[in-house]
Amino acid sequence: MARIVFTANLARHIDCPADEAEGATVREALEAVFRTNERLRGYVLDDQSALRRHMAIVVDGKPLRDRVTLSDPISAASAIYVLQALSGG
Amino acid sequence: MSDHVVVSTRKGLFTIERDSGDWRISGADFLGDNVTLFFHDQRSGHDYAALNHGHFGAKLHRRSNGRWEEIATPAYPLKPEGLVDRDGWGKDIPYSLINIFSLEAGGPEEDGLLWCGTIPGGLFRSRDHGGTWELIRALWDHPKRQQWSGGGTDWPAIHSICVDPRDSAIVRIGISCGGVWETRDGGETWACRADGMFAAFLPPEMSRDPNLQDPHCLVQSPSAPDRLWAQHHNGIFRSDDGSASWREIVDVPPSSFGFAVAVHPREPDTAWFAPAIKDERRIPVDGKLVVTRTRDGGRTFDVLREGLPQSHAYDVVYRHAMAIDESGDRLAFATTTGGLYLTEDQGDHWREISHTLPPAHAVRFAP
């Protein structure tokens, strides 16, 4: 299962420890996490389920390419980091 | 009389309490977070705070029995694939909550009903104290909505909500930039009600279009609800017929530009404004922070300055950052440079409560 790590700054607002999830894409892995932590979805994704403008995701050391549908492929060994983009201040 | 003032700031929500004649900061919630609005619901006793995190989006919190909890946030519907939805300047409208820009109670008989105005231009309603929200589709789907545009924000902003005290089904909202809109059937149908307003910054053929107006803030007289006051981008406007028509108030010293307006709870001719140099500079005239007050419906104005900084003051009072209590004697305003000022005699004398608060978005009195 892929490992998903959320920025520690999120923990001030919502409980979001590092998690593991199955899926073929970043979307599938995140959705698996959101199924057990629905409120977290709105902190990471906007109303259209795209990545928030000032959030960033790094997959295996590379920035997410598809910020709209989050279709970037992952493997069971992937590490997904959900971070704040510095553009957000 | 209200003995509490609540200030929403860039770095937290601050409560100021009157104690033995003095006003002191007595509480700080959400310290470090960007709190954009506070609202106390007199019907339920609940407090509401809107936050806007730079990264994580806009959120709503509700306090009951002294404890804050995050509640549902108004959310935009899934944008239909292929739909083209652009604002008045041709920019694509995001179908996503950008900011919560107004929050008001429904009528006294509508327990739990809240109205919420947002950026990018959606009006939402909750019937369960903010537990769930519905987008008012009749307004969102109105074809004229696509003529709206941002004013000081990237997207249209519903900043003022006035529920008519005679009939809760009549609601008027102010939009930057989309004029004033009214429903008389609880949100089922809507019409633009900004005839008489004008926007000098637009080409002549567009300047009087009601749907393009930029009222910065709209308030309704509780005692004479057909009287409304608007601090507009272009000056001060007044309606005597429930927003059917508006006329400009002229010759306002030192400036008729500003964002905030407050109306006396029982005297519809008495209103307060926080003037600034228009339009691109947006600083107090001559560096002197003043409040203007009319007691005769806008024919004449007092320039109130006693107790306010009169040298090198560069405070701006945002549209939600001036409030009046139910007595009509106490007003408070907070500024972009962290000043908080309060009067107990309708503005004749002001006292500085703080000049070190974070930049202020909004001020409200609370019991």
Side-chain angles (χ1 to χ4, degrees), chain B residues 79-327:
Chain B
K79 185 176 183 180
E81 197 167 338
L83 176 71
V84 175
D85 191 341
R86 297 188 175 129
D87 73 0
W89 299 117
K91 295 192 300 182
D92 287 324
I93 291 276
Y95 272 47
S96 202
L97 179 68
I98 304 298
N99 202 6
I100 292 167
F101 218 48
S102 47
L103 188 59
E104 300 290 347
E109 77 287 2
E110 298 177 310
D111 181 45
L113 193 149
L114 304 173
W115 294 97
C116 181
T118 70
I119 302 171
L123 178 69
F124 291 81
R125 177 173 52 203
S126 172
R127 298 184 186 277
D128 56 3
H129 307 275
T132 57
W133 295 92
E134 58 170 326
L135 175 66
I136 303 300
R137 293 294 323 209
L139 186 62
W140 183 250
D141 294 336
H142 199 293
K144 283 192 168 183
R145 194 259 306 163
Q146 294 186 339
Q147 294 177 329
W148 299 355
S149 63
T153 58
D154 285 345
W155 313 107
I158 298 177
H159 50 69
S160 302
I161 300 169
C162 301
V163 177
D164 197 299
R166 300 164 296 192
D167 181 352
S168 304
I170 302 174
V171 180
R172 297 176 182 87
I173 60 175
I175 304 154
S176 288
C177 305
V180 177
W181 282 69
E182 177 192 73
T183 178
R184 302 187 69 84
D185 53 15
E188 295 296 316
T189 59
W190 292 84
C192 188
R193 293 277 188 257
D195 286 342
M197 291 182 174
F198 67 92
F201 50 87
L202 288 174
E205 62 272 26
M206 300 169 69
S207 64
R208 292 189 177 275
D209 186 330
N211 200 33
L212 305 182
Q213 299 304 312
D214 183 15
H216 286 169
C217 188
L218 178 71
V219 293
Q220 183 174 26
S221 165
S223 58
D226 278 340
R227 165 66 58 79
L228 291 102
W229 291 93
Q231 174 64 68
H232 182 284
H233 192 101
N234 240 103
I236 295 169
F237 288 82
R238 183 185 118 184
S239 174
D240 296 336
D241 52 14
S243 73
S245 66
W246 296 82
R247 70 178 180 88
E248 187 188 17
I249 305 297
V250 297
D251 298 328
V252 183
S255 164
S256 62
F257 180 86
F259 296 96
V261 52
V263 62
H264 191 283
R266 291 177 305 283
E267 300 170 13
D269 282 345
T270 301
W272 292 260
F273 303 84
I277 298 175
K278 78 169 214 148
D279 167 348
E280 294 303 319
R281 298 177 73 183
R282 304 186 186 196
I283 53 175
V285 178
D286 298 328
K288 301 175 192 296
L289 184 60
V290 301
V291 170
T292 53
R293 177 185 64 202
T294 179
R295 293 189 185 281
D296 53 14
R299 282 193 295 278
T300 62
F301 283 81
D302 304 313
V303 180
L304 310 168
R305 62 178 81 242
E306 190 169 329
L308 299 177
Q310 295 300 295
S311 176
H312 286 287
Y314 301 109
D315 307 64
V316 171
V317 183
Y318 282 158
R319 68 190 85 206
H320 299 125
M322 184 163 68
I324 187 166
D325 83 340
E326 73 278 5
S327 76

Side-chain angles (χ1 to χ4, degrees), chain A residues 12 39 42-43 47-48, chain B residues 33 59 70 77 79 95 97:
Chain A
R12 198 160 67 81
R39 197 160 63 88
Y43 279 78
D47 295 355
Q48 301 302 304
Chain B
D33 291 330
K59 312 295 177 196
E70 186 177 337
K79 185 176 183 180
Y95 272 47
L97 179 68

Side-chain angles (χ1 to χ4, degrees), chain B residues 351-366:
Chain B
R351 65 175 84 179
E352 179 188 284
I353 308 302
S354 176
H355 63 267
T356 57
L357 286 173
H361 298 297
V363 172
R364 286 278 182 134
F365 280 93

Side-chain angles (χ1 to χ4, degrees), chain A residues 43-56:
Chain A
Y43 279 78
V44 178
L45 305 182
D46 67 18
D47 295 355
Q48 301 302 304
S49 292
L51 187 64
R52 285 194 172 279
R53 182 183 174 197
H54 295 303
M55 294 295 282

